[in-house]
Structure formats: structure tokens, C-alpha cells
Amino acid sequence: MSSPTVGDHVVSRLGQWGAKRFYGYPGDGIGGVVSAIGRAVEAGAAEFVQVRHEETAGFAATADVKFGGSPLGVAVVTSGPGAVHVLNGLYDAKLDHVPVVALLGQTATNALGTSYYQELDLVRLYADVAGEFVFQVTDPSQVQHAIDRAARTATERRTVTAVVLPSDVQDADAVLEVPEGHGFTHTSAVPGSLPGVPRPEALAEAAALLRSGKKVAILAGAGALGATAELTAVADALGAGVAKALLGKAVLDDRLDWVTGAIGLLGTRPSYDLMRRCDTLLMVGTTMPYSEYYPAPGQARAVQIDVDGTRCGLRYPTEVNLVGDARETLAALLPLLAGAEPDPSWRADIARWNHAWDAWGLERARAEANPLNPELVVRGLSDRLADDHQVAVDCGTVTSWFARDLDLRPTMTASLSGTLLSMGGGLPYALAAKQAHPDRPVLALVGDGAMQMNGLSELVTVAQRWRTWADPRFVVVVMNNSELSFVAWEARAMQAEVPFAAAMDVPDVPYAGWAELLGLAGRRVEGPDGLDAVLDAAMAADRPFVLDAVVDPNVPMIPPHVSLDQVVSTAKSQLKGDPAARAIVVEGVRETVGAAARAVRRHVHTGDDGD
């Protein structure tokens, strides 16, 4: 048997760190590592997922970790353009604090510095996205330490790291044992212990603050996932209401009376009211960035729990910061909350706000639209989700409908590009979710603009792989409105401009027809008639199913807090001759008009631009 190569050593060592799947695209710059992955696949020690574009490799490696498939994501790409293409997906991991290692091919060492084909200074290029650790290997003796350092740094600091591997080094014989002696260092592939519980004095201080609150609000984010039972017990002890950041949406059942759902620009009115009327705030695993959706400064006393102390106090002036694992910290905090005396009317108020919002949501979904109301589609999907569904979401207006209209339960998982907010991640996320858990159904919610970025090509990957899945259910819902509608609404509300058609219009593509050409299933639906039957067929299909839902671009995304500036800007855009103005008024912006009227009345009578 031939000696293991450096490529073999890289793959084996990452396996010791828990890396199960390698997402990537081959090229001569990374050929030695790809060949090694092939040998590992034959031995049953690894899995390689060939995607259609390196950007997908970055997104999918990120999503694999988010959906609980692997503790460490790995993207494998070639030198030059491959290393450039993958960057967007890696920035998604960096901004959402997901551990991912990028394996980057490079020009052979003898040609480095000669301006050779595809030679880029990758260490310099990756200095930001992999700033915690990026290293170019030039000798096989460096490999073991480089891989351990990359994996450990990515895992412990929940970030992106990168190892640059010149092509000739990849094929060299591996150095598996480092000699003893001065100048040689040794390394370990054993992860560190998990974060624990804050010191007792800090817990006591936090508990005293929380017990003093009468109207407690909790904001839970991705860091609270896995702590459902503990978060519920703490919320009950404090009589608190809970709002959720997008990446934490699955932590609590959206149907609970005291859970107000999503927060922020795409959130619910009850979440806005919860924050603006509370006297105490507990933040758990979140740094949701929209400051206007937190309590007003000085309104509430605040405690924050986060695994990373550098993120504490970042969004709101907290009095106590608890650095530790969310589940263990909440469990330690719970017995110290005995004796709390919340205002008994607080949860009753929250339930009343929720019921009113739900009724309004149903009215919005049933409002006339041309040809189909997007909220009606998403609410129909919500009613059909299985307890173990995995939901992947792209960025755009579809994110708003996901946030407001799709009820999740803690047995489900859901994710998206949360901080980078990159379009094009929906299908890569869905693919990674299915590779991570091939026995669970997947739903992908994607806008037509995003579908044309990465979705159409990655359907080829789906067609290539779906027969290997234990459960073939994989539904892609394309919200087809022939417009980049989120950007169009931003133009109206922020720039007071008529959307520029040449920039905003998206060509209508036969998405379902493309799926059928690939051997998948698909249907196009252009109105509410027959929608239920199509949704039933999609959810029960014996192969991946693409639903081309032709929806109305003029159904508005109404922020839970409509400012006077937004109202005036939207009005100005319509006065400038926005061709959608009549449709906006006719097809559902009764809600905008009502909100505008209330905002104007407040401004005229009080000088306040609203709550």
C-alpha cells in the first residue's frame, strides 16, 4: 500500500475533528485533496458533495453546521477563481458565527511569485474572512499543525479559517510524526471543553434584577437553539413574553400565546409592543441589530446571556452580562428566580396582541391579490409542515413571509443567511439540510431573483443526489413575481423613488418546467383556485418538487412600526408615477393607508412619529 499523501492526511485529520462532508468543486489546484477525498469516500470515511458553483460550497458548508449535520463545515475549492467564488458563502459563516474551514488550492510552490496562471495571494485575500487563522503550507511537516489550528480556531471561536495548499504539496508524502527536538511543535486533534456556567455571583446579580421586573421581555436568538425547555421554564418563572430573532425562530413554538414571533423590520407588531412596553429585558444568544426594535434607552433594565463576552452589551445597555452556554446558564438561573412577582396582566396583554395580529394576518393572507397572495401560499405551507421539517429560506420578500406567516415548532429546524443577508443561499441551504439529515423532509422558500442566482443550477445537484436520500420529500417554493420586490419596496420607502424597471424586473422563467426536464416534479400555480391541492401534492411527492407560485409583487411588507418618513417616501414615489401605485392602493394597502393615517395623526397632534 502506498504511503498516505498530504491530501490524505488533511482529510483524515479533519475527520478527527468531526468533519463529515466536504462541499466543493474540483480543479487542478486542489486535485491532490480531491483525490484523497475520493479515497476516503471509497473507504466510507467521508462524503463529497459536488456543487455547481463554489459559492454554493461556502453556503452549504455553513448550512451543514447550522442544520446540525456536522460540528465543522468544510469547503474545498481550487486556486484562483475557485477561491474567489467561495468567499460569499464563507462570509455568511463568518457573520453568523459558524465554524467552517476552507481548503484552498494554490499554484505549485516552484511557481509561486512568478505571476503564474491562477496565482493569487490567497493569504492576503483571506485576511479578513479568515482573519483568525489563515496559513499557506509549504512543507508537509506543517500540515498536521495547520489543520489542527484551523479546526480548533474555527470551532472555539465559531468563525472561518483557511488553509492554502500548493498543488505539489498536496501530492507529497505525509509527515505523520513530528520529531522531538528544539523548534518542533506538537499538536492535538481533541476539541476543547464546551462553555459552561457563569460564576455564582453574576448569576445571583442577574436573578435579582430579573426578579424585580414586572413586565419582562425575552429576546432569543440562534444561541438559544437547543435550550427550549430551559428557556420555557425561565419565561414561565418570570411571566415573560418572548420575541425571536430570525435565526432563533425555531427555538419556541410560534403558536404559544406568550411567544410574539419574529422581531425587527420583518417582525410582528406584538414583538414591537413587547419591547416598547417592558420594564426588564433578558437577551439570550442574540445580537439582533435593529436598535429601534429594542426598548428605548433607559426604559428597561437588561441582562444578556452569550457564549462570547465580546457580544454582550453590543446592542442595548445591559447591567449584567452572563458569559456561558445558553442552556446551562438558563438552567443555573432558574432556581434563583423563585419569588418573582410579575404583573399578572402582562401575559394577558401579550396574548391579546397576538390574537389581534393573527386575525390581521389571516385577513392579509385572504386579501385580493393579482394573481396570488404570497402570504396565502406561506400560510398554506405552514399548515402542512411535519414535526421534523427542515426549512431553508432565501433573502428578499420571502424572508418577510417566512418570519410572519410560517409557524415553527422546536422539533423543526430553519435557517438562512442571517447577518450577511445574501441572496442565493436558499437552495444551497436546503441541499445541505438534506445531506445532513436525508431522512427528514425539506422546504425551501426562494424568491425568483434568488432562484435565478444559484437555485436553477443547484437543482441539477438535487437531481443528481435525490435518489440517495431516505426521504425524497424536498419542496422548493419559488415566489415568482417577476421583480426584485424587496429592493423595489426599499426604493419606494427609503429613496422615495419609482422602482427602476430595468434594474428591478426579473425575467419569468418556467421553474416547474425546468424541474420536470431534470426528472423532478413541478407545478405552476397562478391563483388561489387549486392552491390547496397543489400544496398537498408537493408535500406528498415521491421526488423533489418545484412549486412555481406566481404571486403579486404589490402585496406590501408593512413594518410593525411605520415611521412618518417611510409613509411620506412611499407616497412621494407613487406621486412620481409609480406604475404599481394603483395596484398598491387597490390590492391590499388598506393596511398601509391605515398605518399612514395613524402616523400622521400622531405627528400632527403630538409631534411623535409613532410607536
Side-chain angles (χ1 to χ4, degrees):
M1 181 177 177
S2 60
S3 300
T5 66
V6 165
D8 293 317
H9 189 27
V10 167
V11 174
S12 174
R13 199 71 176 182
L14 284 170
Q16 292 182 54
W17 284 95
K20 300 176 182 178
R21 272 168 294 280
F22 295 80
Y23 294 91
Y25 202 83
D28 63 346
I30 196 69
V33 170
V34 171
S35 294
I37 294 171
R39 291 188 286 272
V41 169
E42 290 178 359
E47 181 180 0
F48 182 73
V49 182
Q50 184 208 73
V51 294
R52 310 275 65 79
H53 191 280
E54 290 94 349
E55 182 182 21
T56 292
F59 277 131
T62 304
D64 195 294
V65 179
K66 286 187 175 184
F67 283 99
S70 305
L72 179 67
V74 183
V76 183
V77 298
T78 194
S79 55
V84 174
H85 286 162
V86 76
L87 278 170
N88 193 53
L90 296 178
Y91 270 107
D92 181 37
K94 178 182 172 69
L95 270 60
D96 280 352
H97 309 291
V98 177
V100 173
V101 172
L103 300 178
L104 311 174
Q106 178 58 293
T107 300
T109 52
N110 63 286
L112 287 173
T114 67
S115 299
Y116 201 73
Y117 287 112
Q118 297 189 336
E119 181 191 356
L120 300 176
D121 186 344
L122 296 182
V123 172
R124 190 172 183 180
L125 178 65
Y126 273 69
D128 181 46
V129 72
E132 296 284 353
F133 182 77
V134 53
F135 181 75
Q136 180 164 291
V137 173
T138 56
D139 187 273
S141 63
Q142 300 171 313
V143 171
Q144 184 165 287
H145 203 291
I147 294 299
D148 284 351
R149 184 83 180 275
R152 188 181 307 281
T153 303
T155 303
E156 298 294 332
R157 298 187 181 174
R158 302 195 65 79
T159 191
V160 175
T161 59
V163 178
V164 183
L165 295 155
S167 58
D168 57 326
V169 173
Q170 297 171 43
D171 289 322
D173 289 343
V175 175
L176 302 179
E177 295 184 6
V178 179
E180 293 186 22
H182 180 70
F184 294 100
T185 59
H186 302 274
T187 180
S188 165
V190 178
S193 61
L194 295 175
V197 179
R199 56 188 174 84
E201 310 92 271
L203 288 167
E205 185 181 0
L209 188 157
L210 293 169
R211 284 197 309 269
S212 70
K214 300 299 181 184
K215 298 181 176 181
V216 180
I218 297 176
L219 174 56
L225 295 172
T228 297
E230 293 77 11
L231 184 63
T232 299
V234 167
D236 286 341
L238 296 171
V242 182
K244 301 180 292 183
L246 273 180
L247 290 177
K249 184 171 166 62
V251 70
L252 291 173
D253 194 326
D254 278 311
R255 301 167 300 181
L256 294 170
D257 277 347
W258 46 273
V259 174
T260 60
I263 193 170
L265 184 64
L266 307 181
T268 71
R269 179 70 196 204
S271 289
Y272 182 79
D273 288 336
L274 177 75
M275 293 295 154
R276 285 291 163 158
R277 302 188 188 193
C278 69
D279 61 22
T280 307
L281 173 64
L282 172 60
M283 302 165 61
V284 183
T286 181
T287 55
M288 192 278 295
Y290 292 121
S291 60
E292 65 270 33
Y293 293 96
Y294 285 92
Q299 169 197 323
R301 303 181 69 193
V303 173
Q304 185 167 355
I305 299 172
D306 203 289
V307 72
D308 183 350
T310 65
R311 298 202 289 266
C312 290
L314 187 63
R315 305 300 186 199
Y316 192 79
T318 51
E319 293 184 38
V320 184
N321 294 318
L322 301 176
V323 180
D325 174 78
R327 184 179 63 82
E328 293 190 32
T329 301
L330 289 168
L333 195 59
L334 181 61
L336 305 179
L337 300 177
E341 297 181 357
D343 184 336
S345 68
W346 180 232
R347 273 199 167 178
D349 287 342
I350 295 168
R352 178 169 48 81
W353 301 336
N354 277 335
H355 294 159
W357 175 264
D358 289 342
W360 186 42
L362 189 59
E363 181 182 345
R364 288 197 318 267
R366 292 175 175 172
E368 182 181 352
N370 182 24
L372 181 60
N373 191 317
E375 294 195 79
L376 185 66
V377 176
V378 177
R379 282 184 168 252
L381 291 163
S382 183
D383 294 338
R384 292 166 170 83
L385 290 179
D387 285 342
D388 62 344
H389 241 104
Q390 303 182 98
V391 182
V393 187
D394 221 299
C395 293
T397 52
V398 69
T399 318
S400 180
W401 314 138
F402 160 72
R404 296 181 178 184
D405 295 303
L406 200 74
D407 287 339
L408 295 185
R409 308 185 282 281
T411 54
M412 302 173 180
T413 54
S415 198
L416 70 156
S417 175
T419 309
L420 186 62
L421 291 172
S422 175
M423 288 175 63
L427 256 292
Y429 267 53
L431 177 65
K434 199 66 174 182
Q435 292 301 132
H437 303 289
D439 58 339
R440 296 177 61 175
V442 167
L443 169 66
L445 296 174
V446 185
D448 51 355
M451 191 67 180
Q452 291 183 24
M453 280 190 174
N454 292 335
L456 290 173
S457 58
E458 293 309 331
L459 275 183
V460 176
T461 312
V462 172
Q464 178 193 38
R465 303 193 70 89
W466 75 268
R467 289 179 178 82
T468 68
W469 299 335
D471 184 331
R473 289 176 294 172
F474 186 100
V475 177
V476 180
V477 178
V478 182
M479 294 294 193
N480 179 3
N481 54 26
S482 298
E483 181 183 83
L484 298 175
S485 53
F486 195 101
V487 186
W489 281 105
E490 287 177 324
R492 294 183 182 107
M494 296 180 183
Q495 283 86 43
E497 293 290 342
V498 176
F500 176 36
M504 304 298 179
D505 290 354
V506 174
D508 188 12
V509 172
Y511 303 101
W514 171 235
E516 290 176 328
L517 283 174
L518 294 174
L520 310 178
R523 290 277 296 278
R524 181 179 173 102
V525 60
E526 298 182 354
D529 293 342
L531 176 61
D532 285 339
V534 174
L535 293 177
D536 287 339
M539 289 298 197
D542 64 354
R543 64 193 60 207
F545 190 108
V546 174
L547 172 58
D548 181 359
V550 184
V551 297
D552 192 337
N554 299 317
V555 173
M557 301 180 302
I558 305 302
H561 166 54
V562 181
S563 72
L564 183 60
D565 287 344
Q566 289 169 322
V567 172
V568 170
S569 294
T570 303
K572 284 180 179 178
S573 77
Q574 295 182 34
L575 291 172
K576 288 181 179 179
D578 187 344
R582 186 166 184 268
I584 289 173
V585 173
V586 171
E587 293 176 12
V589 195
R590 291 187 297 260
E591 50 200 72
T592 304
V593 174
R598 290 191 296 273
V600 171
R601 283 197 297 270
R602 279 195 302 268
H603 185 76
V604 170
H605 294 300
T606 69
D608 178 15
D609 69 354
D611 65 357

